[in-house]
Amino acid sequence: PKGSGIWRYATMLPMKAGVTMGEGRTPLVESRLKRNLWVKFEGANPTGSFKDRGMALGVTVAREAGANKVIVASTGNTAASAAAYAARAGLKAYVVLPRGNVARGKLVQAALHGAEILAVEGYFDKALSLVVEYGTRYAYPLNSFNPWRLEGQKTLAYEVYEELGCPDNIVVPVGNAGNIYAIWKGFRELGELGLCNKLPRMIGVQAAGAAPLARAWREGSQSPLFVESPSTIASAIRIGKPVNWVKAFIAVRESGGMFVEVDDADILRAQLALARVDGVGAEPAGAASVAGALALDLPGISVAVVTGHALKDPDVVEVRTTPVASQEELVSVLSR
Ligand SMILES: Cc1ncc(COP(=O)(O)O)c(/C=C/C(=O)C(=O)O)c1O
């Protein structure tokens, strides 16, 4: 298909061309951690997360709508992506961040790309309520309640289909819960086009300390059990009140999937295993999908979406070094 980035799929998008940095076409690699497990490495996007897919379309629509300012609340990756894509589109970005809850790499990206960084006390949910209640009057909102974001993010499904056909399970880390619905929408469209006759089960993975949907699912509740003070090492999904929870329930119910939770130890173990066995460097939230895939006994072919790059959150990685003061010491280390 012609066009670069998400615009390769223009026929399936609400607009035919727009702002791009060649987002998408990310690696789909077979994992050696488990049979029938593939990893879709979204860290390979221009700003290092899947958010670029939705931001390319969101920023294009904002500019077409005549906006010159955009605003997002974010745990970091949406902010980084909005900052970069707004810069590319010549728009001003305002990012509202929960002070002390944003991984360093993402903060640096937002600053580098020239966003105005507004720090609020509290969690992501507080930042989002500020944007929804006040921000939208002054700037075009680009959080994932904005449908154009999800239209861009659904292109991941098309890429998986092009390389692997229609897998049996798609495992996705869930925070504000837009991405799991976006990917489901993409596969549902492939079904409507007759390209997939069996659609994948959508498996949403949450961090145990920030699992409003997984807890509701486990307890058979029809609505999420919101978490007042979400807590997890995976700061990207440290979200207690997912704005897209209705859509996420639809995706999981319609697909015959489920929500599960994994604890931080599982997430960090998956991050290391993924990096050292498959060579894929994920930030903790990005590794949560692999932790879920490893913990579950999913029948058939599974694709775990690794949603963000390891460099986003360097502070969670333990670095051990071996001092070498002489060539003898070097030789002794090398010959161990
Ligand atoms: C690496 C990573 N993995 C998974 C998610 C969860 O996706 P959604 O369930 O669609 O929210 C996020 C979300 C980040 C933000 O919500 C934000 O940046 O404000 C993320 O950065």
Side-chain angles (χ1 to χ4, degrees):
K2 67 179 181 53
S4 82
I6 58 161
W7 306 107
R8 293 190 294 133
Y9 301 112
T11 50
M12 302 295 285
L13 297 175
M15 304 188 73
K16 301 309 159 199
V19 179
T20 184
M21 286 197 271
E23 58 288 327
R25 277 191 204 267
T26 54
L28 179 62
V29 296
E30 187 161 17
S31 174
R32 296 187 316 154
L33 294 174
K34 189 169 195 176
R35 264 172 33 78
N36 292 332
L37 175 60
W38 294 72
V39 160
K40 181 70 168 162
F41 185 35
E42 289 295 286
N45 279 297
T47 73
S49 85
F50 71 95
K51 303 286 182 180
D52 294 343
R53 295 175 183 274
M55 224 35 94
L57 186 52
V59 162
T60 299
V61 174
R63 190 172 62 178
E64 295 293 303
N68 51 24
K69 297 175 184 175
V70 297
I71 187 167
V72 291
S74 180
T75 58
N77 280 323
T78 294
S81 185
Y85 279 80
R88 189 155 187 80
L91 307 178
K92 169 81 178 159
Y94 294 87
V95 299
V96 186
L97 304 181
R99 184 193 301 279
N101 282 283
V102 179
R104 179 110 190 96
K106 308 168 184 180
L107 208 49
V108 164
Q109 284 180 293
L112 179 66
H113 292 295
E116 181 95 38
I117 300 175
L118 309 172
V120 299
E121 297 309 319
Y123 296 99
F124 164 82
D125 309 294
K126 174 83 168 47
L128 184 62
S129 64
L130 281 174
V131 168
V132 169
E133 280 158 37
Y134 304 102
T136 56
R137 264 175 267 163
Y138 305 95
Y140 186 88
L142 281 177
N143 275 100
S144 54
F145 56 77
N146 181 324
W148 307 129
R149 279 275 313 279
L150 305 185
E151 282 303 303
Q153 288 172 208
K154 75 181 181 183
T155 56
L156 183 146
Y158 303 156
E159 290 179 9
V160 169
Y161 168 72
E162 284 177 332
E163 292 194 64
L164 200 61
C166 312
D168 300 287
N169 313 289
I170 303 283
V171 191
V172 187
V174 172
N176 221 7
N179 202 32
I180 189 166
Y181 176 77
I183 297 170
W184 170 239
K185 186 171 190 287
F187 277 107
R188 219 173 39 192
E189 290 167 353
L190 291 169
E192 285 151 14
L193 290 170
L195 297 172
C196 282
N197 46 43
K198 183 180 169 302
L199 302 186
R201 282 179 289 272
M202 299 306 292
I203 314 290
V205 182
Q206 297 205 292
L213 304 183
R215 282 172 48 195
W217 192 261
R218 190 179 61 213
E219 291 167 25
S221 161
Q222 297 304 316
S223 58
L225 305 176
F226 288 150
V227 177
E228 274 315 306
S229 307
S231 133
T232 171
I233 187 114
S235 58
I237 52 176
R238 196 179 292 161
I239 295 176
K241 298 188 181 69
V243 75
N244 295 299
W245 69 267
V246 173
K247 288 189 170 105
F249 267 98
I250 289 170
V252 168
R253 271 205 204 100
E254 282 185 355
S255 70
M258 68 179 95
F259 290 104
V260 294
E261 61 185 69
V262 291
D263 60 34
D264 282 0
D266 294 332
I267 289 174
L268 293 177
R269 259 194 300 276
Q271 180 188 36
L272 278 187
L274 190 60
R276 295 179 178 176
V277 175
D278 288 335
V280 173
E283 69 170 283
S289 55
V290 174
L294 296 178
L296 293 168
D297 201 4
L298 296 167
I301 308 278
S302 298
V303 174
V305 183
V306 173
T307 44
H309 198 287
L311 287 177
K312 294 279 190 166
D313 196 351
D315 299 338
V316 301
V317 178
E318 188 190 336
V319 176
R320 277 203 291 267
T321 60
T322 305
V324 169
S326 68
Q327 65 185 36
E328 288 76 17
E329 284 183 17
L330 175 70
V331 168
S332 76
V333 170
L334 297 179
S335 45
R336 261 184 224 153

